[in-house]
Protein backbone atom coordinates (compact mmCIF):
# COMPACT_ATOMS: atom_id res chain seq x y z
CA UNK A 1 0.00 0.00 0.00
CA UNK A 2 1.40 3.40 -0.93
CA UNK A 3 2.34 5.79 1.91
CA UNK A 4 -0.25 8.40 0.90
CA UNK A 5 -2.97 5.78 0.79
CA UNK A 6 -2.03 4.51 4.24
CA UNK A 7 -2.33 8.07 5.61
CA UNK A 8 -5.81 8.48 4.13
CA UNK A 9 -6.85 5.12 5.57
CA UNK A 10 -5.49 6.09 9.00
CA UNK A 11 -7.25 9.45 8.85
CA UNK A 12 -10.49 7.73 7.88
CA UNK A 13 -10.21 5.27 10.74
CA UNK A 14 -9.51 8.12 13.18
CA UNK A 15 -12.52 10.06 11.88
CA UNK A 16 -14.75 7.01 12.23
CA UNK A 17 -13.47 6.41 15.76
CA UNK A 18 -14.11 10.03 16.71
CA UNK A 19 -17.58 9.83 15.18
CA UNK A 20 -18.33 6.66 17.11
CA UNK A 21 -17.16 8.23 20.36
CA UNK A 22 -19.24 11.33 19.71
CA UNK A 23 -22.25 9.16 18.93
CA UNK A 24 -21.72 7.34 22.20
CA UNK A 25 -21.78 10.69 24.00
CA UNK A 26 -24.96 11.75 22.23
CA UNK A 27 -26.89 8.62 23.20
CA UNK A 28 -27.09 8.72 26.97
CA UNK A 29 -29.86 6.75 28.66
CA UNK A 30 -32.22 8.27 31.17
CA UNK A 31 -31.66 6.99 34.69
CA UNK A 32 -34.75 5.93 36.60
CA UNK A 33 -36.21 8.57 38.92
CA UNK A 34 -36.24 7.83 42.62
CA UNK A 35 -38.46 9.01 45.44
CA UNK A 36 -36.89 12.06 47.13
CA UNK A 37 -34.63 10.69 49.87
CA UNK A 38 -35.65 11.51 53.42
CA UNK A 39 -33.25 14.14 54.82
CA UNK A 40 -32.98 12.18 58.03
CA UNK A 41 -31.68 9.19 56.13
CA UNK A 42 -28.31 10.78 55.45
CA UNK A 43 -25.40 10.46 57.83
CA UNK A 44 -24.85 13.76 59.64
CA UNK A 45 -21.08 13.58 59.17
CA UNK A 46 -21.55 13.09 55.42
CA UNK A 47 -23.80 16.17 55.27
CA UNK A 48 -21.17 18.21 57.11
CA UNK A 49 -18.41 17.07 54.75
CA UNK A 50 -20.70 17.81 51.81
CA UNK A 51 -21.16 21.39 52.98
CA UNK A 52 -17.38 21.78 52.74
CA UNK A 53 -17.28 20.48 49.15
CA UNK A 54 -20.26 22.57 48.06
CA UNK A 55 -18.65 25.67 49.60
CA UNK A 56 -15.36 25.09 47.74
CA UNK A 57 -17.42 24.60 44.57
CA UNK A 58 -19.25 27.87 45.22
CA UNK A 59 -22.44 26.10 44.12
CA UNK A 60 -24.86 28.43 45.89
CA UNK A 61 -23.61 31.53 44.11
CA UNK A 62 -24.27 30.24 40.60
CA UNK A 63 -27.43 28.33 41.52
CA UNK A 64 -29.14 31.24 43.29
CA UNK A 65 -30.78 34.08 41.37
CA UNK A 66 -30.82 37.63 42.70
CA UNK A 67 -33.51 37.71 45.35
CA UNK A 68 -34.13 33.98 44.91
CA UNK A 69 -34.02 31.04 47.30
CA UNK A 70 -30.68 29.28 47.82
CA UNK A 71 -29.84 26.66 45.19
CA UNK A 72 -33.15 27.23 43.33
CA UNK A 73 -31.35 28.31 40.13
CA UNK A 74 -32.43 30.94 37.63
CA UNK A 75 -29.24 33.00 37.68
CA UNK A 76 -28.40 34.21 34.15
CA UNK A 77 -24.85 33.40 33.07
CA UNK A 78 -23.84 35.59 30.16
CA UNK A 79 -21.46 33.78 27.84
CA UNK A 80 -20.06 34.68 24.40
CA UNK A 81 -22.64 32.25 23.04
CA UNK A 82 -25.73 33.61 24.77
CA UNK A 83 -27.34 33.42 28.18
CA UNK A 84 -27.58 30.20 30.16
CA UNK A 85 -29.81 30.05 33.24
CA UNK A 86 -28.59 27.93 36.11
CA UNK A 87 -30.77 25.04 37.21
CA UNK A 88 -32.60 24.27 40.41
CA UNK A 89 -30.49 21.90 42.52
CA UNK A 90 -32.75 21.78 45.55
CA UNK A 91 -34.40 18.41 46.31
CA UNK A 92 -37.71 19.46 44.75
CA UNK A 93 -38.92 16.47 42.77
CA UNK A 94 -40.72 18.44 40.06
CA UNK A 95 -38.26 21.22 39.25
CA UNK A 96 -35.04 20.31 41.08
CA UNK A 97 -33.00 17.17 41.61
CA UNK A 98 -35.29 15.57 44.19
CA UNK A 99 -35.83 12.45 42.06
CA UNK A 100 -32.16 12.07 41.15
CA UNK A 101 -30.35 9.05 42.51
CA UNK A 102 -26.75 9.27 43.64
CA UNK A 103 -25.84 7.55 40.36
CA UNK A 104 -27.57 10.28 38.34
CA UNK A 105 -25.90 12.99 40.42
CA UNK A 106 -22.52 11.32 39.96
CA UNK A 107 -23.01 11.04 36.19
CA UNK A 108 -23.81 14.75 35.98
CA UNK A 109 -20.59 15.69 37.78
CA UNK A 110 -18.40 13.08 36.09
CA UNK A 111 -19.75 13.28 32.52
CA UNK A 112 -22.02 16.34 32.19
CA UNK A 113 -25.19 14.33 31.60
CA UNK A 114 -28.54 15.11 33.22
CA UNK A 115 -30.70 12.40 34.82
CA UNK A 116 -32.98 12.28 31.79
CA UNK A 117 -30.00 11.79 29.46
CA UNK A 118 -29.61 15.25 27.92
CA UNK A 119 -26.15 16.75 27.79
CA UNK A 120 -25.40 19.67 30.12
CA UNK A 121 -23.77 22.86 28.97
CA UNK A 122 -20.18 23.31 30.19
CA UNK A 123 -21.13 26.54 31.96
CA UNK A 124 -21.69 23.88 34.62
CA UNK A 125 -17.99 23.08 35.15
CA UNK A 126 -18.21 19.30 35.03
CA UNK A 127 -14.80 19.13 33.34
CA UNK A 128 -13.51 20.08 36.81
CA UNK A 129 -16.09 18.41 39.04
CA UNK A 130 -15.20 15.13 37.35
CA UNK A 131 -11.97 15.26 39.41
CA UNK A 132 -13.91 14.77 42.66
CA UNK A 133 -13.63 11.47 44.46
CA UNK A 134 -16.67 9.24 44.78
CA UNK A 135 -16.69 9.95 48.51
CA UNK A 136 -16.81 13.73 48.01
CA UNK A 137 -19.54 13.41 45.37
CA UNK A 138 -21.57 11.32 47.78
CA UNK A 139 -21.11 13.89 50.54
CA UNK A 140 -22.10 16.76 48.24
CA UNK A 141 -25.21 14.78 47.26
CA UNK A 142 -26.07 14.26 50.94
CA UNK A 143 -25.72 17.98 51.64
CA UNK A 144 -27.84 19.13 48.69
CA UNK A 145 -30.55 16.54 49.34
CA UNK A 146 -30.95 17.84 52.87
CA UNK A 147 -31.58 21.46 51.77
CA UNK A 148 -35.09 22.90 51.67
CA UNK A 149 -36.86 21.91 48.44
CA UNK A 150 -37.92 24.89 46.32
CA UNK A 151 -40.34 24.66 43.41
CA UNK A 152 -38.82 26.95 40.79
CA UNK A 153 -38.34 26.53 37.05
CA UNK A 154 -35.46 28.36 35.40
CA UNK A 155 -36.10 30.42 32.25
CA UNK A 156 -35.19 28.89 28.90
CA UNK A 157 -31.62 29.45 27.75
CA UNK A 158 -31.05 32.07 25.05
CA UNK A 159 -28.23 30.78 22.86
CA UNK A 160 -27.13 31.61 19.36
CA UNK A 161 -28.05 29.12 16.64
CA UNK A 162 -27.33 26.17 16.55
CA UNK A 163 -26.06 25.87 20.13
CA UNK A 164 -29.51 25.11 21.46
CA UNK A 165 -29.05 21.66 19.86
CA UNK A 166 -27.47 19.84 22.80
CA UNK A 167 -26.11 16.80 20.90
CA UNK A 168 -23.44 19.15 19.55
CA UNK A 169 -21.94 19.07 23.04
CA UNK A 170 -20.80 15.51 22.36
CA UNK A 171 -18.02 16.86 20.16
CA UNK A 172 -17.08 19.44 22.78
CA UNK A 173 -16.84 16.70 25.41
CA UNK A 174 -14.52 14.69 23.18
CA UNK A 175 -12.16 17.65 23.07
CA UNK A 176 -12.21 18.82 26.67
CA UNK A 177 -13.64 16.25 29.08
CA UNK A 178 -11.21 13.84 30.72
CA UNK A 179 -13.36 11.98 33.18
CA UNK A 180 -12.28 10.87 36.61
CA UNK A 181 -10.00 11.96 39.42
CA UNK A 182 -6.30 12.53 38.92
CA UNK A 183 -3.97 10.42 41.05
CA UNK A 184 -1.81 12.23 43.57
CA UNK A 185 1.66 13.25 42.42
CA UNK A 186 4.04 11.13 44.53
CA UNK A 187 6.79 13.68 44.05
CA UNK A 188 4.74 16.31 45.88
CA UNK A 189 3.62 16.61 49.46
CA UNK A 190 0.16 16.08 50.88
CA UNK A 191 -0.61 19.80 51.09
CA UNK A 192 0.28 20.41 47.43
CA UNK A 193 -1.80 17.44 46.28
CA UNK A 194 -4.72 18.58 48.42
CA UNK A 195 -4.42 22.08 46.95
CA UNK A 196 -4.34 20.78 43.38
CA UNK A 197 -7.37 18.62 44.09
CA UNK A 198 -9.36 21.59 45.41
CA UNK A 199 -8.20 24.12 42.80
CA UNK A 200 -8.61 21.83 39.77
CA UNK A 201 -11.67 19.99 41.09
CA UNK A 202 -14.40 21.54 43.19
CA UNK A 203 -12.85 25.01 43.09
CA UNK A 204 -12.72 24.99 39.25
CA UNK A 205 -10.49 28.10 39.44
CA UNK A 206 -9.33 27.72 35.82
CA UNK A 207 -12.91 28.28 34.61
CA UNK A 208 -12.60 31.99 35.36
CA UNK A 209 -8.83 32.48 35.40
CA UNK A 210 -8.18 31.05 31.92
CA UNK A 211 -8.95 32.49 28.52
CA UNK A 212 -11.45 30.64 26.35
CA UNK A 213 -10.91 29.44 22.82
CA UNK A 214 -13.48 30.12 20.06
CA UNK A 215 -15.69 27.20 21.12
CA UNK A 216 -15.57 27.90 24.84
CA UNK A 217 -12.82 25.51 25.89
CA UNK A 218 -10.24 26.63 28.41
CA UNK A 219 -6.98 27.54 26.73
CA UNK A 220 -3.85 25.74 27.76
CA UNK A 221 -1.82 26.33 29.81
CA UNK A 222 -4.45 27.21 32.38
CA UNK A 223 -4.57 30.12 34.80
CA UNK A 224 -3.22 32.68 32.32
CA UNK A 225 -6.07 35.08 33.08
CA UNK A 226 -9.62 35.35 31.81
CA UNK A 227 -12.73 37.47 31.91
CA UNK A 228 -15.96 36.69 33.72
CA UNK A 229 -19.10 38.82 33.79
CA UNK A 230 -17.17 41.82 32.51
CA UNK A 231 -14.45 41.54 35.17
CA UNK A 232 -10.87 40.57 34.46
CA UNK A 233 -9.87 37.44 36.35
CA UNK A 234 -6.11 38.01 36.70
CA UNK A 235 -3.53 35.43 35.78
CA UNK A 236 -2.73 33.13 38.68
CA UNK A 237 0.69 32.31 37.29
CA UNK A 238 2.16 35.79 37.70
CA UNK A 239 1.37 36.57 41.32
CA UNK A 240 5.02 37.39 41.92
CA UNK A 241 4.73 40.25 39.45
CA UNK A 242 2.10 42.14 41.44
CA UNK A 243 3.14 45.60 42.71
CA UNK A 244 3.88 43.78 45.95
CA UNK A 245 4.61 40.11 45.21
CA UNK A 246 2.15 37.73 46.82
CA UNK A 247 3.20 35.20 49.39
CA UNK A 248 1.44 31.91 50.12
CA UNK A 249 0.35 33.25 53.51
CA UNK A 250 -1.16 36.39 51.99
CA UNK A 251 -2.95 34.39 49.32
CA UNK A 252 -4.38 31.92 51.84
CA UNK A 253 -5.70 34.80 53.94
CA UNK A 254 -7.16 36.53 50.87
CA UNK A 255 -8.95 33.38 49.75
CA UNK A 256 -10.41 32.84 53.19
CA UNK A 257 -11.31 36.43 54.08
CA UNK A 258 -11.60 38.19 50.71
CA UNK A 259 -9.13 40.75 51.92
CA UNK A 260 -5.42 41.32 52.09
CA UNK A 261 -3.83 44.37 53.73
CA UNK A 262 -1.04 44.13 51.15
CA UNK A 263 -3.25 43.76 48.06
CA UNK A 264 -6.81 44.90 48.72
CA UNK A 265 -10.26 43.38 48.71
CA UNK A 266 -11.96 40.80 46.54
CA UNK A 267 -14.64 42.40 44.37
CA UNK A 268 -16.98 41.37 41.59
CA UNK A 269 -17.30 37.61 40.99
CA UNK A 270 -14.41 36.90 43.37
CA UNK A 271 -16.21 38.37 46.38
CA UNK A 272 -18.78 35.55 46.74
CA UNK A 273 -16.05 32.99 46.08
CA UNK A 274 -14.11 34.31 49.05
CA UNK A 275 -17.28 34.28 51.14
CA UNK A 276 -17.82 30.60 50.33
CA UNK A 277 -14.20 29.81 51.12
CA UNK A 278 -14.61 31.47 54.51
CA UNK A 279 -16.82 28.49 55.37
CA UNK A 280 -14.18 25.82 54.81
CA UNK A 281 -11.35 24.88 57.19
CA UNK A 282 -8.29 27.12 56.95
CA UNK A 283 -6.12 24.16 55.95
CA UNK A 284 -8.05 23.98 52.67
CA UNK A 285 -7.35 27.59 51.66
CA UNK A 286 -3.76 27.13 52.84
CA UNK A 287 -3.40 24.12 50.56
CA UNK A 288 -4.98 25.97 47.63
CA UNK A 289 -2.57 28.86 48.11
CA UNK A 290 0.41 26.50 48.31
CA UNK A 291 -0.57 24.85 45.03
CA UNK A 292 -1.25 28.15 43.24
CA UNK A 293 2.07 29.62 44.36
CA UNK A 294 3.81 26.59 42.90
CA UNK A 295 2.47 27.58 39.45
CA UNK A 296 4.32 30.89 39.26
CA UNK A 297 6.16 31.37 36.02
CA UNK A 298 7.93 34.65 36.66
CA UNK A 299 9.88 36.18 39.49
CA UNK A 300 9.17 39.66 40.71
CA UNK A 301 10.46 42.23 38.20
CA UNK A 302 12.05 45.54 38.97
CA UNK A 303 9.68 48.47 39.45
CA UNK A 304 8.25 49.65 36.12
CA UNK A 305 9.86 52.72 34.60
CA UNK A 306 8.02 55.95 35.42
CA UNK A 307 5.32 56.83 32.94
CA UNK A 308 6.11 59.83 30.72
CA UNK A 309 4.31 63.04 31.72
CA UNK A 310 0.86 63.38 30.20
CA UNK A 311 0.29 66.22 27.79
CA UNK A 312 -2.61 67.94 26.10
CA UNK A 313 -6.02 66.37 26.54
CA UNK A 314 -4.59 63.55 28.65
CA UNK A 315 -3.14 66.02 31.13
CA UNK A 316 -6.43 67.92 31.29
CA UNK A 317 -8.33 64.71 31.96
CA UNK A 318 -5.95 63.73 34.74
CA UNK A 319 -6.34 67.18 36.36
CA UNK A 320 -10.11 66.87 36.18
CA UNK A 321 -9.85 63.35 37.61
CA UNK A 322 -7.78 64.67 40.49
CA UNK A 323 -10.48 67.19 41.36
CA UNK A 324 -13.19 64.53 41.19
CA UNK A 325 -11.09 62.11 43.24
CA UNK A 326 -10.63 64.74 45.96
CA UNK A 327 -14.39 65.21 46.22
CA UNK A 328 -15.66 61.65 45.77
CA UNK A 329 -12.84 59.29 46.75
CA UNK A 330 -10.20 60.90 48.96
CA UNK A 331 -12.40 60.77 52.06
CA UNK A 332 -11.76 57.03 52.11
CA UNK A 333 -8.77 56.50 49.80
CA UNK A 334 -6.65 59.60 50.50
CA UNK A 335 -3.40 59.15 52.40
CA UNK A 336 -4.80 61.02 55.41
CA UNK A 337 -8.23 59.37 55.36
CA UNK A 338 -9.13 57.91 58.78
CA UNK A 339 -10.49 54.77 57.09
CA UNK A 340 -7.07 54.05 55.59
CA UNK A 341 -5.67 53.58 59.08
CA UNK A 342 -8.80 52.22 60.77
CA UNK A 343 -9.55 49.70 58.05
CA UNK A 344 -5.95 48.78 57.35
CA UNK A 345 -6.45 49.54 53.68
CA UNK A 346 -3.49 49.22 51.33
CA UNK A 347 -2.52 52.21 49.19
CA UNK A 348 -4.27 52.21 45.83
CA UNK A 349 -0.97 51.87 44.00
CA UNK A 350 -0.72 48.29 45.32
CA UNK A 351 -4.11 47.34 43.91
CA UNK A 352 -4.20 44.95 40.97
CA UNK A 353 -7.15 46.94 39.64
CA UNK A 354 -4.87 49.99 39.33
CA UNK A 355 -1.72 48.20 38.13
CA UNK A 356 -3.42 45.83 35.69
CA UNK A 357 -3.04 45.94 31.94
CA UNK A 358 -6.74 46.75 31.47
CA UNK A 359 -8.97 49.24 33.29
CA UNK A 360 -12.01 46.97 33.50
CA UNK A 361 -11.86 46.07 37.18
CA UNK A 362 -11.28 49.64 38.34
CA UNK A 363 -14.19 50.82 36.20
CA UNK A 364 -16.43 48.05 37.52
CA UNK A 365 -15.58 48.91 41.13
CA UNK A 366 -16.35 52.60 40.58
CA UNK A 367 -19.61 51.79 38.78
CA UNK A 368 -20.86 49.08 41.14
CA UNK A 369 -18.97 49.66 44.38
CA UNK A 370 -18.32 46.81 46.79
CA UNK A 371 -21.62 45.73 48.37
CA UNK A 372 -22.01 45.80 52.11
CA UNK A 373 -21.93 42.42 53.80
CA UNK A 374 -21.77 41.99 57.59
CA UNK A 375 -18.79 39.65 57.32
CA UNK A 376 -16.80 41.98 55.07
CA UNK A 377 -17.94 45.43 56.22
CA UNK A 378 -14.40 46.84 56.09
CA UNK A 379 -14.44 46.52 52.30
CA UNK A 380 -17.67 48.39 51.64
CA UNK A 381 -17.65 50.99 48.89
CA UNK A 382 -20.71 52.78 47.47
CA UNK A 383 -21.58 52.53 43.79
CA UNK A 384 -21.09 55.62 41.65
CA UNK A 385 -22.91 54.49 38.50
CA UNK A 386 -25.81 56.85 39.19
CA UNK A 387 -23.81 59.86 40.34
CA UNK A 388 -20.87 59.97 37.89
CA UNK A 389 -21.10 59.96 34.11
CA UNK A 390 -18.80 58.03 31.81
CA UNK A 391 -16.43 60.97 31.23
CA UNK A 392 -16.10 61.61 34.97
CA UNK A 393 -15.36 57.95 35.74
CA UNK A 394 -12.81 57.87 32.92
CA UNK A 395 -11.14 60.97 34.39
CA UNK A 396 -10.92 59.44 37.86
CA UNK A 397 -9.48 56.23 36.42
CA UNK A 398 -6.92 58.21 34.42
CA UNK A 399 -5.90 60.16 37.53
CA UNK A 400 -5.60 57.07 39.73
CA UNK A 401 -3.60 55.24 37.09
CA UNK A 402 -1.17 58.10 36.39
CA UNK A 403 -0.83 59.98 39.67
CA UNK A 404 -1.24 57.19 42.21
CA UNK A 405 -0.31 54.09 40.24
CA UNK A 406 2.57 55.76 38.35
CA UNK A 407 1.69 53.64 35.34
CA UNK A 408 1.35 54.33 31.65
CA UNK A 409 -2.17 55.50 30.73
CA UNK A 410 -4.92 53.13 29.63
CA UNK A 411 -6.10 53.98 26.10
CA UNK A 412 -9.72 54.83 25.17
CA UNK A 413 -10.90 54.96 28.77
CA UNK A 414 -14.21 56.74 28.27
CA UNK A 415 -15.23 54.35 25.50
CA UNK A 416 -14.45 51.41 27.77
CA UNK A 417 -16.54 52.91 30.61
CA UNK A 418 -19.47 53.24 28.20
CA UNK A 419 -19.07 49.67 26.98
CA UNK A 420 -18.92 48.22 30.50
CA UNK A 421 -21.90 50.26 31.69
CA UNK A 422 -23.88 48.90 28.73
CA UNK A 423 -22.73 45.32 29.33
CA UNK A 424 -23.85 45.59 32.96
CA UNK A 425 -27.44 46.29 31.94
CA UNK A 426 -29.77 43.34 32.66
Amino acid sequence: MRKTTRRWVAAGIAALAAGALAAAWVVQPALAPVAPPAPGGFDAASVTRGARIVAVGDCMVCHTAAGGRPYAGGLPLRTPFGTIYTTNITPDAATGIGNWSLSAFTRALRHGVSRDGHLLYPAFPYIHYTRLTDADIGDAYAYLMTRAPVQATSPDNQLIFPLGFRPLLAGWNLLYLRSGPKPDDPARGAEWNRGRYLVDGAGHCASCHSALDPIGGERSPAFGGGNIDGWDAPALTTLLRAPKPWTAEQLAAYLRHGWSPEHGAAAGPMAPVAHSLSLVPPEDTKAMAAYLMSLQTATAPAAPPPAPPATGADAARIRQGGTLFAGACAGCHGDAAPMMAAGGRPPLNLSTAVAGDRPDNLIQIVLNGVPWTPARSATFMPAFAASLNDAQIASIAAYVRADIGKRAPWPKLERRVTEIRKENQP
Side-chain angles (χ1 to χ4, degrees):
M1 186 181 294
R2 296 177 58 185
K3 189 174 182 180
T4 303
T5 303
R6 287 198 299 269
R7 287 178 176 171
W8 278 108
V9 170
I13 292 173
L16 287 172
L21 287 172
W25 270 109
V26 170
V27 183
Q28 296 289 336
L31 299 183
V34 299
F42 290 98
D43 176 65
S46 177
V47 174
T48 300
R49 292 192 300 269
R52 179 175 175 177
I53 293 300
V54 169
V56 174
D58 208 26
C59 305
M60 189 168 72
V61 172
C62 282
H63 287 278
T64 304
R69 301 279 298 278
Y71 303 108
L75 181 75
L77 302 178
R78 297 188 180 92
T79 77
F81 315 104
T83 300
I84 294 175
Y85 290 88
T86 57
T87 55
N88 182 347
I89 57 171
T90 72
D92 179 66
T95 61
I97 60 172
N99 61 5
W100 286 39
S101 63
L102 175 58
S103 295
F105 185 76
T106 301
R107 186 175 69 167
L109 268 64
R110 284 254 188 271
H111 306 292
V113 181
S114 181
R115 186 200 64 76
D116 64 5
H118 76 253
L119 302 185
L120 299 169
Y121 287 107
F124 170 62
Y126 55 86
I127 63 169
H128 294 284
Y129 292 159
T130 191
R131 304 296 180 209
L132 292 172
T133 63
D134 288 339
D136 278 348
I137 291 176
D139 290 339
Y141 178 77
Y143 176 77
L144 291 174
M145 284 300 182
T146 51
R147 301 306 93 197
V150 179
Q151 187 167 20
T153 302
S154 300
D156 292 335
N157 298 324
Q158 300 169 358
L159 296 170
I160 59 176
F161 178 82
L163 299 182
F165 186 60
R166 289 180 184 263
L168 293 175
L169 294 167
W172 194 94
N173 287 338
L174 279 179
L175 292 173
Y176 301 106
L177 177 59
R178 302 293 178 267
S179 300
K182 287 181 179 176
D184 281 354
D185 183 344
R188 300 282 191 165
E191 184 177 71
W192 185 93
N193 278 299
R194 174 68 176 169
R196 185 185 67 165
Y197 174 73
L198 294 172
V199 167
D200 290 349
H204 63 281
C205 304
S207 292
C208 294
H209 289 276
S210 300
L212 300 181
D213 64 21
I215 60 173
E218 295 168 13
R219 290 189 184 277
S220 182
F223 305 114
N227 189 278
I228 181 75
D229 291 341
W231 290 74
D232 278 338
L236 298 180
T237 54
T238 57
L239 299 176
L240 297 177
R241 299 180 63 185
K244 188 170 186 178
W246 287 82
T247 66
E249 292 74 19
Q250 293 166 359
L251 183 58
Y254 176 84
L255 292 173
R256 183 165 175 75
H257 303 294
W259 163 256
S260 165
E262 296 85 5
H263 302 279
M270 188 60 199
V273 173
H275 174 70
S276 294
L277 291 177
S278 72
L279 305 176
V280 305
E283 56 264 31
D284 279 355
T285 49
K286 184 171 180 287
M288 295 172 76
Y291 171 65
L292 289 170
M293 292 306 296
S294 77
L295 303 179
Q296 303 311 301
T297 58
T299 56
T311 58
D314 287 341
R317 166 166 286 176
I318 291 171
R319 286 196 299 273
Q320 181 191 40
T323 301
L324 290 166
F325 183 91
C329 314
C332 293
H333 290 289
D335 292 339
M339 292 187 69
M340 290 293 287
R345 295 181 172 183
L348 283 178
N349 65 314
L350 296 183
S351 169
T352 302
V354 175
D357 294 335
R358 288 155 46 95
D360 292 26
N361 288 2
L362 182 59
I363 294 170
Q364 290 278 22
I365 291 172
V366 176
L367 283 171
N368 302 307
V370 179
W372 180 278
T373 59
R376 302 175 60 246
S377 56
T379 62
F380 169 74
M381 174 176 156
F384 289 90
S387 55
L388 296 174
N389 61 34
D390 293 355
Q392 291 169 326
I393 292 175
S395 295
I396 290 175
Y399 167 76
V400 171
R401 174 78 169 178
D403 195 82
I404 298 177
K406 308 297 183 187
R407 302 274 173 158
W410 288 309
K412 302 175 182 177
L413 260 175
E414 186 172 345
R415 178 192 297 183
R416 190 61 189 136
V417 177
T418 302
E419 291 171 348
I420 290 177
R421 189 191 290 270
K422 184 177 180 180
E423 291 167 1
N424 286 347
Q425 299 300 314

